[in-house]
Amino acid sequence: MPLGAVYARLALADNLMCQGRLVEAEREARIAVSEAMGIYGKYAAITATALQILGEVMLAKGDLTSADTLSNAQIEILEHLRLSTNEERMIRARLFRAEVLSAAYDFSMAVKAYDRALAGMQANSYLYRRYTGRNSDMILCLIKNRRIPEAEKLIAEAKG
């Protein structure tokens, strides 16, 4: 059950991150990335998922350079796997990429990443509501890019 073991380690890393135990979370996420790559190789969905968890930990630690590198690598892997743009894993990767860019105050590139994620969610109202509802980073990026009506729509949807 190596796949289950990698997912368990990723869940632990995520849990530790939510507790604010970032050093421990980073350690677990790094081990998960190593295990995923060792067992399944670089171009595997589990490897991309592990990179995102590690990237989220690095972002929480304030290491934008590492988070940026990891989010780029994750998207590269998913594109190599030819994942569809409407696949939830690809949508989450694009949203994470946008979050990293937003944290770096690169709002023009962040909104492009959000637009790619939104395009993937176009036909799936569940994913749209799940990932846009109360997404303050997305709203901020829209406002910073003078896309006020779209930001107002997301704010109204979050209120109602």
Side-chain angles (χ1 to χ4, degrees):
M1 293 203 0
L3 183 62
V6 174
Y7 274 117
R9 194 173 294 279
L10 290 173
L12 175 59
D14 189 47
N15 189 305
L16 290 167
M17 181 178 59
C18 290
Q19 294 177 31
R21 297 164 60 184
L22 300 178
V23 173
E24 294 165 285
E26 180 182 350
R27 180 180 177 277
E28 293 298 327
R30 285 183 183 277
I31 293 169
V33 169
S34 294
E35 289 175 351
M37 288 184 66
I39 298 168
Y40 300 99
K42 177 181 178 181
Y43 292 109
I46 184 66
T47 303
T49 300
L51 289 175
Q52 182 168 344
I53 297 293
L54 179 58
E56 289 171 358
V57 172
M58 300 313 285
L59 184 60
K61 288 180 72 175
D63 186 349
L64 295 178
T65 304
S66 294
D68 183 58
T69 301
L70 292 164
S71 69
N72 276 329
Q74 178 193 22
I75 289 175
E76 177 192 327
I77 290 168
L78 296 176
E79 286 176 345
H80 182 269
L81 294 173
R82 296 194 169 125
L83 227 60
S84 171
T85 57
N86 63 355
E87 181 77 34
E88 185 174 10
R89 194 176 301 235
M90 181 61 92
I91 291 167
R92 289 184 53 222
R94 298 264 186 228
L95 290 170
F96 177 60
R97 178 80 188 126
E99 185 180 349
V100 170
L101 291 166
S102 179
Y105 299 105
D106 190 349
F107 298 112
S108 63
M109 291 302 292
V111 82
K112 289 178 184 177
Y114 278 126
D115 284 340
R116 288 183 182 142
L118 288 168
M121 291 184 269
Q122 196 169 22
N124 190 327
S125 61
Y126 168 75
L127 291 179
Y128 177 83
R129 285 190 311 274
R130 180 176 181 189
Y131 293 119
T132 62
R134 296 188 170 104
N135 188 331
S136 57
D137 281 343
M138 185 182 296
I139 293 168
L140 176 63
C141 286
L142 289 169
I143 291 169
K144 287 286 197 177
N145 283 280
R146 294 175 171 62
R147 291 169 55 177
I148 307 303
E150 292 170 76
E152 288 175 336
K153 178 184 173 204
L154 288 177
I155 293 168
E157 288 173 358
K159 288 171 70 176

